[in-house]
Amino acid sequence: MSTTDQPRVLATTKQWFALGVLMLPTLLVSIDNTVLSFALPSIARDLRPSAVAQLWIVDVYPLVLAALLVGMGNLGDRFGRRRMLLIGASGFGIVSVLAAFAPDATSLIIARVFLGVFGAMLMPSTLSLLRSLFGDRRQRRLAIAIWAAGFSAGSAIGPLVGGVLLEHFWWGSVFLVAVPFLLPLLIFAPLLIAESKDPAPGPFDFGSIVLSIFTLGPAVYAIKVIATEGIGVLPIVLLIVAALAGVYFVRRLLAQPNPMLDMNLFRVPSFSGAVLVNLVSVFSLLGLLFFLTQHLQLVVGLSPFDAAVALTPGIVVIILAGLGVVPLVRYVRPGYLMAGGLFLSLLAYASIALIGSDATVLSYIVAFCVLGAGIGSAETLSNDLIISSVPPDKAGAASGVSETAYELGAVLGTAVLGSILTASYRSSIVIPDGLTEADATAARETLGGAVEVASTLPNGLGGQLLDTARHAFDTGVVTTSWVAVGLMAVAITITLVTLRSVRS
């Protein structure tokens, strides 16, 4: 009997309420990915991190998530997905409070590391539990659309939440937002969600988890170093380490009869192509948010709240696009729809690059809406294809792959595009005469540093520094946007090749 001939097993009202509970950690982790974007200027003023430390404050959280997600998904399959969800929620809440009161940049980075560890327990559990909650393919696709819309929208809502909080409180408040999300989860998850696990798990593979960390960590750090400092001995060594670890990781999994992740899945076009779309979609979203939030606050001069409000139309578009693509995929092949979503991302970046320093707040809002339409639709379809390509017992590991792609895209979006922007900014800024060496160094490091230094200078000199810093930043935005256009074009081509024959 084919899948379409099997009787539909529809979800109950309790299962739809369970979906609402699972949306809480989904929103929280995705909000935490971007809420720091608006808090960075405040953190820069209070903790005075270097440019590298500032990037690590943003990047270390999704990097740790990306490195641990597959392993944590495997642990959920083995020991219970609901159990992992509750452990992750408890730890995430405690560390969030510690991060809110971090006394310096190093402490904040360490807290972000542990947030990544506990966040890695949350995310695979949510998506894999959806697989067990919704047996009917159409209902599951709708549930995943709601989940994916919440995930993408949460990334965009992060700046809005940050803007509201920073308008009234200090930067640490953006971490305390975790508490109201996690308390209802800890109360209702045991009541609404049944435990699920793999009934015949393979042996626990600690070695593969370690290898996955040594594959992702050095690779991303090497990209950051090359983008900011150029090619040198350190990034080359890191890339070699990552390549060797990656090769051994794949060979180790292929040699096992019951691996934590079946590498043969990547030979399935619907799986591998969807993973790529997942990664590139988040890459484009987080890359744009990285410089858009800074431009609105530090170049245009909007308050955190007003800058966040400017992003609200794009958030609405992400949600609507994620839900609207569900009925559409019944008539149009998912590969074409996902390629179309990536093309919208290309158009958004191209518009920013072409307008350049003449960009207005309205033009950025329109660009973000165009990108949001593409991201919302692509994320829904890619997650649906990933989770539907594997047996239900392996849903946790597959969810880990999906979330790894998401978090790796988040890391690369800020690491690659953010580092290119930083490098361009440093090469373009002209430091006016009259600054001390310490002030000149701070202004050359980041736009936030230049704004902070300018506030301490006489009006004429401060205004001169602001003008050259803002011009250098916008020049970097144009360069970064053209790089993103090229990357989107490559991703569209690969998507059309790998997914052209996949049907809904």
Side-chain angles (χ1 to χ4, degrees), residues 432-448:
D433 296 331
L435 271 68
T436 65
E437 184 176 348
D439 285 346
T441 300
R444 192 176 289 109
E445 284 277 302
T446 63
L447 176 60

Side-chain angles (χ1 to χ4, degrees), residues 39-57:
L40 275 180
S42 299
I43 292 173
R45 286 192 296 268
D46 291 351
L47 303 184
R48 304 186 73 84
S50 65
V52 173
Q54 182 170 304
L55 278 174
W56 273 115
I57 288 172

Side-chain angles (χ1 to χ4, degrees), residues 56 219-232 234-235 238 415 419:
W56 273 115
V220 173
Y221 187 64
I223 292 172
K224 291 163 59 69
V225 174
I226 291 173
T228 54
E229 302 176 14
I231 298 177
L234 176 60
L238 290 172
S419 297

Side-chain angles (χ1 to χ4, degrees), residues 161-194:
V161 173
V164 173
L165 292 174
L166 292 171
E167 196 79 8
H168 304 286
F169 306 103
W170 91 115
W171 59 264
S173 61
V174 301
F175 294 103
L176 296 180
V177 74
V179 176
F181 279 90
L182 295 177
L183 284 179
L185 171 67
L186 293 171
I187 294 171
F188 291 107
L191 301 176
L192 296 174
I193 302 172

Side-chain angles (χ1 to χ4, degrees), residues 77 81 128 131-132 196-199 387 390-396:
D77 288 340
R81 294 150 188 161
S128 57
R131 176 66 184 263
S132 63
S196 68
K197 62 177 69 174
D198 186 346
I387 200 65
V390 300
D393 293 341
K394 301 297 182 183

Side-chain angles (χ1 to χ4, degrees), residues 433-491:
D433 296 331
L435 271 68
T436 65
E437 184 176 348
D439 285 346
T441 300
R444 192 176 289 109
E445 284 277 302
T446 63
L447 176 60
V451 172
E452 177 66 18
V453 169
S455 66
T456 66
L457 299 175
N459 289 338
L461 186 58
Q464 188 178 353
L465 175 61
L466 280 179
D467 288 341
T468 183
R470 287 168 174 167
H471 177 73
F473 185 84
D474 282 344
T475 299
V477 167
V478 171
T479 302
T480 304
S481 297
W482 281 125
V483 172
V485 167
L487 293 173
M488 293 301 111
V490 173

Side-chain angles (χ1 to χ4, degrees), residues 29 32 60-65 68 72 87-96 98-99 106-122 175:
V29 173
D32 216 59
V60 73
Y61 168 75
L63 173 58
V64 173
L65 272 173
L68 295 178
M72 292 299 184
I87 293 173
S90 301
F92 199 96
I94 294 171
V95 178
S96 294
L98 296 177
T106 301
S107 300
L108 183 56
I109 292 173
I110 293 173
R112 294 276 287 172
V113 169
F114 283 98
L115 285 174
V117 173
F118 289 110
M121 297 180 186
L122 291 171
F175 294 103

